[in-house]
Amino acid sequence: MAERNSWSLGSALRGMFGRQTIDESTWDDLEDALLLADFGPVITDEILEELRGQVERFRTTDPRDLKRMLRETIEDRLAKFDPTLNLSARPAVTLVVGVNGVGKTTTIGKFARFLRNFGRTVVLGAADTFRAAAVEQLDTWAMRADVRIVRPQQYGQDPASVAYQTVEIAMREGIEMVILDTAGRLPTKAGLMDELTKIHRVVEKLTPVSEVLLVLDATTGQNGVSQAEAFIEHSGVTGLVITKLDGSAKGGFVLAVQERTGLPIKLIGTGESIDDLTGFTPHVFAEKLVG
Ligand code: GDP
């Protein structure tokens, strides 16, 4: 099991902030730490420039001031996006999309539990109907989270019809939250995007879709974003879920991904257990990242 919060810049920064004064090597080390944490070269340069300016303006040579400035700069940039989940509709329908392996099913299980912890009633829809394993896996999570699930009646049933039935049941029975699993891969990317569009359209015959959450794996960093580009372009994504932050040394990815996609992070996954999902709070994240 990876160390918790290994994405924190803590160990990389501890050395430099423990020094007596800010000098050229401080800037070099800070640059290395930011690049290692996957902030990416552009954001790294911008942060360094901003901090150099601040250090000059405030005429400080104290590394502790630099640490505070770094934390605030990161927090300010993270906070430019609104992490609020828009789930006030009844039922509130959330479509969960993303490529296979990123942690989509696990996230759905955790999200169901997360909503139940807030006292909401939840139903899952297994609209990834082409992989028997996907339905079984979602079933297991429904059991763990103690929520209902609507399964396809037969293998390969039209995913949109499962989505429709799930929302219909929620409306009939007054279930507050609907979470729909979707396929992560089909023979063609265009086929997959068409399928997601159809699910969206069919659900909206009953009620508007509240959130389309794209799940991204922090350990794949910027590569993962490239793989998910089609979802961003075609599936009306409203927010991101970043998984596997517990095992990743790439905490800077969180800032990079918001700025690159223009989409807010709404949830973060920090482990494989059902309670390892939290809302995204820029202040808390920046604090943990910088220490
Ligand atoms: P899917 O194919 O996208 O549905 O992915 P799964 O939900 O099956 O997850 C793939 C793997 O990632 C599984 O082994 C999960 O236990 C693991 N996983 C999912 N979320 C997290 C997380 O936040 N942290 C860690 N460490 N592992 C995760």
Side-chain angles (χ1 to χ4, degrees):
M1 176 82 189
E3 186 197 334
R4 269 189 176 275
N5 293 346
S6 53
W7 42 270
S8 165
L9 289 171
S11 55
L13 294 184
R14 214 165 294 139
M16 75 187 82
F17 292 138
R19 287 184 198 142
Q20 295 297 318
T21 187
I22 300 170
D23 58 25
E24 253 335 284
S25 68
T26 312
W27 296 109
D28 290 344
D29 292 349
L30 184 53
E31 180 174 16
D32 289 348
L34 293 174
L35 287 172
L36 258 173
D38 209 23
F39 279 86
V42 176
I43 295 177
T44 295
D45 281 352
E46 287 171 5
I47 289 178
L48 289 173
E49 202 186 312
E50 165 75 26
L51 294 179
R52 275 182 188 271
Q54 285 192 29
V55 163
E56 227 162 85
R57 267 198 310 285
F58 291 101
R59 296 175 196 282
T60 177
T61 54
D62 188 340
R64 286 170 306 180
D65 288 337
L66 180 59
K67 185 175 181 179
R68 182 178 43 76
M69 290 167 183
L70 174 64
R71 193 170 53 229
E72 286 169 5
T73 300
I74 291 174
E75 182 182 339
D76 286 351
R77 287 180 78 141
L78 287 172
K80 287 196 177 124
F81 298 81
D82 181 5
T84 314
L85 283 159
N86 167 29
L87 297 175
S88 52
R90 292 292 176 268
V93 179
T94 300
L95 217 59
V96 184
V97 305
V99 296
N100 286 341
V102 293
K104 187 151 46 82
T105 318
T106 309
T107 296
I108 292 172
K110 293 183 201 170
F111 190 38
R113 168 75 142 242
F114 178 92
L115 294 171
R116 283 211 18 126
N117 287 345
F118 280 97
R120 302 288 173 267
T121 48
V122 181
V123 60
L124 307 184
D128 180 0
T129 62
F130 290 95
R131 285 193 312 141
V135 179
E136 273 164 37
Q137 216 189 332
L138 197 67
D139 234 356
T140 309
W141 278 107
M143 227 154 22
R144 284 185 195 144
D146 191 23
V147 299
R148 274 184 67 178
I149 177 169
V150 176
R151 297 179 207 85
Q153 266 124 26
Q154 79 244 7
Y155 170 76
Q157 181 184 335
D158 182 358
S161 80
V162 177
Y164 188 88
Q165 277 168 12
T166 312
V167 177
E168 215 176 28
I169 287 173
M171 293 174 88
R172 198 167 56 229
E173 302 189 11
I175 299 172
E176 297 165 293
M177 301 285 149
V178 178
I179 310 172
L180 299 173
D181 187 22
T182 61
R185 185 175 304 137
L186 285 185
T188 66
K189 209 172 250 180
L192 177 56
M193 294 309 138
D194 285 350
E195 181 180 297
L196 292 175
T197 307
K198 185 173 171 194
I199 292 175
H200 208 128
R201 194 180 64 237
V202 165
V203 167
E204 295 220 323
K205 286 184 181 170
L206 293 169
T207 188
V209 171
S210 293
E211 291 278 2
V212 180
L213 298 180
L214 171 66
V215 183
L216 293 173
D217 174 343
T219 61
T220 63
Q222 306 270 349
N223 267 342
V225 184
S226 307
Q227 282 170 25
E229 217 107 77
F231 290 96
I232 296 169
E233 277 170 37
H234 301 290
S235 58
V237 177
T238 56
L240 307 174
V241 183
I242 309 300
T243 61
K244 308 188 195 179
L245 269 168
D246 50 310
S248 167
K250 296 176 173 174
F253 170 68
V254 158
L255 176 58
V257 75
Q258 282 201 137
E259 299 199 355
R260 176 164 164 194
T261 62
L263 292 163
I265 293 170
K266 301 209 165 179
L267 294 164
I268 55 176
T270 54
E272 299 184 79
S273 317
I274 197 154
D275 290 316
D276 293 333
L277 184 82
T278 58
F280 181 62
T281 316
H283 178 70
V284 173
F285 196 84
E287 198 133 88
K288 284 194 176 156
L289 191 60
V290 180

